[in-house]
Structures are given as structure tokens and as C-alpha cells.
Amino acid sequence: MAKLIKDSKDAFQVLELIFKDQDKDGLWEYINDNFGIAIPRKAICEDHNAPFDFVADVFFQKVQNAIALANRTGGKTTDFAILDVLNSYYWPECETATAGAIEEQAKKCYGYFQNWINNIPIFNERVLDLLMRETKFTNGSMVQILTGTMSGVNSPHPQKAFLDEIELMMWNIIQEAFSMPQSKGEILGQLILTSTRKFAFGPMERLLDEAEERGFDVYRWCVMETIEKHDPEICRKSVFAEDCQGRCLECNGYLKLEDVIAAKMRLDKDTWDSQWMCKRPSQKALVYPQFNEAFHVKKTKVDTGAELILAEDFGFAEGHADVVGFFQVKPSGRVSMVDEIWIEGKTDSDIITLVEDKIIELGFIPDRYKDKKRTDADLRRLLNLAVNIWYCPIEEPSKIELRRRAGFNVTAMADADARKVINGLPLVRKALQDRIITFDPKCKKTVKEIKIYANKVRADGTILDEPAKKNDNGPDMVRYFFINHFPAKQAGHFQETKSDEVKPITSGIADVTF
Ligand SMILES: [Zn+2]
Ligand SMILES: [Zn+2]
């Protein structure tokens, strides 16, 4: 195609034609000829896309909101820089804001962008002003490449908002970007996010999880889509063989086999699987890695003849829901969480009413009482009787008092050691590991949080042995259930150190690891 392009006018008309025909092959050639970059155009894994599918769909405006999950060195930053150039070249008065999570990322993107618009004549002759903060083109288009935040862009509503490596961005910055892009004439407002995925509790996993309801198209690729066609003999004898599975000659990327092998040898399996194969987020830093939906989430039949136990984590404000869990314990010691209430901004009397409604909904009240008014003494007696015990945190005695006044048997663990988060976790871990606890699918929010409840991670990647105060509403409630219902000593899960010294009831728990 390059041979057909005689001058810059031709070059523009060719791109115009490509766009009008949505000619994918033409676009690939155009990028290859002008930028010298052969973006991999073949999907190798069954459920993955070719990186070029993503670039083409974004340029052709086939997607409005999109997320690309890619491997390390998967070409995301280059793709954005190419789109920055092409969009500004093609559209008049198109504003693009590209943000990298960290400065290095933004600089790398700008480096590519600057190099191309300086050195490729068809683009260069359209540049008015070249600065990282703001590059202006003769057609009125503008590109801003920033670090970390979108709040610094001059145009608060660019047509193209690109966020690179969102795994490293704060959730509020990502959210800020949601309302940014605005269409203008034929130029579609687009919000495009890319990242590797590191942690199960990270922003990338959260967005992938919410992609459908937020209206995002998802693209995925991994090292298989980005590695070069390579020698099957060398591959077969290497650590990469189990990943490649003989697809060596199908590959058409750019990563060198020896570099990929070297990367794999440097990394642990968990990191390799999450950041290079894009299989699943890292399980590192999870507080409950023992949790597995396949056997911990199970439909449960409520036994209305048996005891019903409640555990509550108080809450009110947004993001700090009040959570009530409904539990049943079999004589064998098996625990089922049968239902949950998650509610924000409600008073104690509202919550008590919701609990009472749930008791009725679960079938604990005989039919003939159901229609009576809540104040009816018989109904109240039955509601109170249905709940064997209601566990609450001790820190808010007035809330406990209100539940008691409504006639419920409320109790709270008083032992300060047992109440420490670090001392409660082993009880829950043990129960998960021994598979003595299951959650009914109705306990959706509790399950969602237990899955991603994570320890604090320092900026340098060090994982602390202390849960972050995030996604902890459900997990706290479950922990209250365990510290109250199966206090460490009574449950006999832990061996006491043999000593004549008087030890607190929970001694030794903190030393137990699973
Ligand atoms: Zn793949
Ligand atoms: Zn291979």
C-alpha cells in the first residue's frame, strides 16, 4: 500500500477510504506501512482476541466503552500511542486525553507518540505544537498525555479518553473518567481502559466483573497472542512448552521466545498465570485463599425446625453497609449461611423490621400469624423465639440495647483478644479449609467480598499480614459469627501451649497459620 501513496494528500484519502469501508486489513497495512508496527492480528487462545481486533474496533468506533485485559509487554501503551496519532490525524478537532497510571507509563506513551509525529512526514506536517501536556495539530485536534489522573486535562470532555494500566490507578480516578468522554459530531466519545490484572481485589478485576452492567466491551489477550512464531524444538524443551502446547507456528506476535522463557523462569506460577497468561488474578494477598465458590457456595434448604443464628456488622454510611447474616448449624457442626441483609442508611428500627421480614420470608412463622400486625404480642413472641441468638459487635452498646428491647437475645463477645481481627481470621480459615461452612447463593454480597477480601499491600508490593479496611463488611460479620459461636478454646481447633502459666483464652491462635 505504501507504494500507492504518492503524497500526504493521498495518505489521508487512503485512511478516509479505510475508515469509510471499515477496512480492517487496510488499517493493518496502513499502520504497518506508516508506523512500521505489525500489531498481532491472530487470536491463538480460544477465548482471547487478537490485539489488532481491539485497535481496529476502537479506531472504527465500533465500541464506545472498552476494556482490554492484556499480558505484560502486551503492547497496550503502543496501541494507545498509535490511536492517539491516528485519531488526531483523521478527525478534525478531536480531543484525546491519555493517562498512564504511573509517570513512566505516560512517558513511554509520549515517547512513541512524539517519535512518530516527529519522524513520519504525513503526520509531522500537521503538527502545530508538540508538548507532552498538550500537542496541537493544524486540523484543530489535540492530544494530552498525563500521569495518573484525568483531572489535569484542559478539556474536561475529550472525545477520546484512554486510561493505561488501570490496575495501578485509584478507583476514584477511574470513576472520574467514566463521565468524561463526549461525542462531537461524527466523533464518538470513547472511554478505553487497558491493563494487566494483578490482584483479585484490584480495580481491573472489579471492572471486568462489572463490565456488562457498565456497558463495556471486553478484549483479552495473553502472551500467546503476542509471542513471535517460534521454533517448536526449542519451545518443547523449555518451561514455556506447557503454556504453548505446540502452537508455536501459529503464533504471530513480536515477543522473542527466549525473552518469554526468561520471564517465566524469573516468576512464580501465580504471577505468571495472572500477568502473562491472563488466566486469573493473583491469589496472593487474599485473606481467605481457601475460599472456593465451587464448594463453598451451595443451595441450602432452610430448616425451620432448627435454630436460627444471626450475626451482624453494624454500618450506616455509603460503602459501609449494615450486614446481617442468617446462619444455621447442624449437630455435626456444619454451618450454613442461609441468607443475608445488606442495607445502607437505615436506622436500627428499620433494620430490626427488615430482620423480622426476613424471618417470616424464611418460613419461621406459621402462616396464620403472617398477616397480623407487627405489634401483635403473639407474632412478636414468635419472631423473638425464631432467633436463637443474635451476635453483634460490642463497640456500640446502644444498638445492642435497641435489639434487646425488641425482644431479641443479643450477645457480643467481650474478650478483647478474641475480638482482634487477626485472632478471628484463623477460625474462619479453618472452617473454609475443612469445608464445614457453605453459603447459599442468596448471600451474594457476602460471597463477593469474601472472594476479594485482601491484606494490605504496600506500594512496593510487600503484602502485610493485616486485612485492608476494604470489602470487609461481609467478612467482619462472618468473623463475628465464628468468634461468638465457636470461640477458639471451646471449638478445640487450636492446641494450647502446655504451661502452668495462666494464658488468655485465645493464646496461640495468632501463631496458627494455614
Ligand atoms: Zn491468549
Ligand atoms: Zn511454542
Side-chain angles (χ1 to χ4, degrees):
M1 179 166 304
K3 290 162 210 87
L4 297 174
I5 300 173
K6 291 188 208 75
D7 56 31
S8 56
K9 205 173 141 220
D10 276 358
F12 186 78
Q13 279 171 352
V14 168
L15 190 59
E16 236 176 354
L17 268 179
I18 289 171
F19 187 88
K20 289 205 171 102
D21 295 344
Q22 305 262 296
D23 173 4
K24 206 167 158 180
D25 292 334
L27 181 65
W28 190 89
E29 299 278 349
Y30 194 88
I31 293 170
N32 190 33
D33 288 346
N34 287 295
F35 295 82
I37 292 189
I39 303 176
R41 59 203 297 199
K42 217 161 120 189
I44 307 293
C45 310
E46 211 169 276
D47 50 352
H48 284 178
N49 309 92
F52 185 65
D53 294 339
F54 164 73
V55 174
D57 287 356
V58 173
F59 180 68
F60 290 143
Q61 305 193 141
K62 284 187 175 168
V63 285
Q64 182 154 25
N65 300 311
I67 314 175
L69 168 68
N71 55 301
R72 299 277 301 259
T73 65
K76 303 175 298 294
T77 310
T78 321
D79 297 342
F80 271 159
I82 291 174
L83 288 164
D84 285 350
V85 175
L86 283 183
N87 280 325
S88 320
Y89 175 70
Y90 182 69
W91 297 107
E93 292 178 24
C94 174
E95 291 164 12
T96 302
T98 301
I102 47 173
E103 199 180 0
E104 195 192 323
Q105 205 110 31
K107 277 190 173 155
K108 203 170 111 191
C109 184
Y110 181 67
Y112 297 137
F113 175 78
Q114 182 193 33
N115 178 27
W116 294 325
I117 61 173
N118 272 332
N119 298 311
I120 304 173
I122 57 166
F123 303 134
N124 184 252
E125 63 185 34
R126 297 203 170 204
V127 177
L128 259 186
D129 223 350
L130 177 60
L131 277 174
M132 181 157 163
R133 279 214 52 83
E134 196 170 294
T135 298
K136 286 184 177 147
F137 294 81
T138 52
N139 61 357
S141 284
M142 180 180 96
V143 171
Q144 293 191 293
I145 300 175
L146 313 146
T147 303
T149 168
M150 287 300 225
S151 60
V153 296
N154 285 343
S155 70
H157 294 293
Q159 283 70 61
K160 315 290 178 191
F162 298 153
L163 269 64
D164 193 9
E165 206 57 35
I166 61 155
E167 184 74 332
L168 303 177
M169 285 184 183
M170 303 283 289
W171 183 252
N172 58 345
I173 289 171
I174 300 168
Q175 259 183 322
E176 192 182 293
F178 285 156
S179 54
M180 289 188 80
Q182 219 161 65
S183 303
K184 189 164 77 181
E186 282 177 69
I187 313 172
L188 180 71
Q190 287 175 302
L191 175 62
I192 313 294
L193 315 172
T194 62
S195 201
T196 45
R197 173 177 53 183
K198 295 197 170 84
F199 296 115
F201 51 88
M204 192 56 177
E205 180 68 359
R206 177 166 175 186
L207 269 181
L208 290 171
D209 208 35
E210 298 172 2
E212 206 178 318
E213 69 188 71
R214 288 182 183 275
F216 278 85
D217 285 278
V218 179
Y219 296 81
R220 297 166 197 264
W221 64 85
C222 72
V223 66
M224 290 309 299
E225 278 76 29
T226 45
I227 192 172
E228 63 182 1
K229 182 173 172 178
H230 54 270
D231 186 338
E233 272 309 292
I234 301 173
C235 182
R236 199 168 51 81
K237 292 180 195 139
S238 78
V239 289
F240 187 58
E242 57 175 345
D243 306 298
C244 184
Q245 296 182 342
R247 293 173 290 179
C248 320
L249 299 176
E250 292 170 42
C251 298
N252 85 329
Y254 48 87
L255 296 172
K256 299 268 161 242
L257 175 65
E258 60 263 32
D259 292 342
V260 170
I261 292 171
K264 183 165 184 185
M265 288 174 74
R266 269 198 317 271
L267 300 169
D268 59 77
K269 188 169 165 28
D270 184 76
T271 309
W272 170 260
D273 281 349
S274 65
Q275 297 182 27
W276 288 75
M277 298 306 291
C278 306
K279 274 185 186 159
R280 62 167 198 173
S282 168
Q283 301 299 294
K284 273 188 216 163
L286 287 184
V287 175
Y288 296 131
Q290 298 85 357
F291 182 81
N292 183 332
E293 243 175 313
F295 46 77
H296 288 121
V297 178
K298 214 169 103 189
K299 228 178 148 17
T300 325
K301 203 174 159 341
V302 176
D303 181 357
T304 53
E307 288 178 351
L308 179 66
I309 300 140
L310 270 53
E312 183 173 6
D313 181 32
F314 297 140
F316 183 82
E318 203 189 321
H320 298 279
D322 193 286
V323 183
V324 186
F326 294 74
F327 295 86
Q328 293 207 286
V329 182
K330 292 239 166 68
S332 63
R334 286 192 172 276
V335 177
S336 321
M337 183 175 162
V338 296
D339 212 332
E340 65 179 8
I341 291 174
W342 277 65
I343 197 85
E344 287 172 2
K346 292 286 182 200
T347 63
D348 292 288
S349 57
D350 290 340
I351 291 163
I352 292 165
T353 304
L354 285 169
V355 165
E356 292 174 351
D357 289 346
K358 187 65 88 181
I359 295 168
I360 295 172
E361 186 192 316
L362 290 173
F364 282 87
I365 305 298
D367 282 344
R368 65 179 186 281
Y369 291 98
K370 281 183 187 165
D371 296 331
K372 293 195 179 179
K373 284 207 178 89
R374 204 163 292 288
T375 45
D376 184 283
D378 280 344
L379 176 58
R380 171 137 309 281
R381 190 176 49 84
L382 288 169
L383 287 167
N384 292 153
L385 275 177
V387 177
N388 185 57
I389 195 159
W390 185 338
Y391 299 122
C392 289
I394 204 168
E395 288 81 2
E396 290 182 77
S398 60
K399 286 176 168 287
I400 293 175
E401 183 53 28
L402 287 169
R403 285 153 183 73
R404 281 191 180 141
R405 279 188 202 162
F408 290 100
N409 177 21
V410 184
T411 189
M413 169 58 79
D415 183 279
D417 263 332
R419 272 173 18 228
K420 279 187 188 150
V421 176
I422 199 82
N423 290 342
L425 302 179
L427 295 172
V428 185
R429 283 189 189 130
K430 174 86 173 142
L432 288 169
Q433 192 174 38
D434 294 351
R435 301 187 187 177
I436 64 148
I437 181 164
T438 55
F439 300 82
D440 189 271
K442 280 193 278 186
C443 309
K444 227 166 129 184
K445 291 186 168 163
T446 303
V447 166
K448 192 174 173 189
E449 281 198 343
I450 285 191
K451 250 163 59 181
I452 58 173
Y453 185 39
N455 285 309
K456 287 183 180 162
V457 182
R458 281 212 200 102
D460 66 0
T462 319
I463 298 163
L464 306 180
D465 194 16
E466 183 192 346
K469 289 198 183 312
K470 256 179 20 187
N471 309 308
D472 59 354
N473 303 300
D476 278 350
M477 178 275 294
V478 172
R479 186 169 51 82
Y480 295 147
F481 171 80
F482 275 94
I483 63 170
N484 283 285
H485 207 79
F486 299 109
K489 199 173 178 183
Q490 184 194 315
H493 286 157
F494 306 102
Q495 284 196 337
E496 295 276 6
T497 346
K498 285 205 175 82
S499 155
D500 294 327
E501 243 177 276
V502 181
K503 296 237 173 186
I505 190 167
T506 50
S507 93
I509 294 185
D511 309 327
V512 180
T513 48
F514 296 102

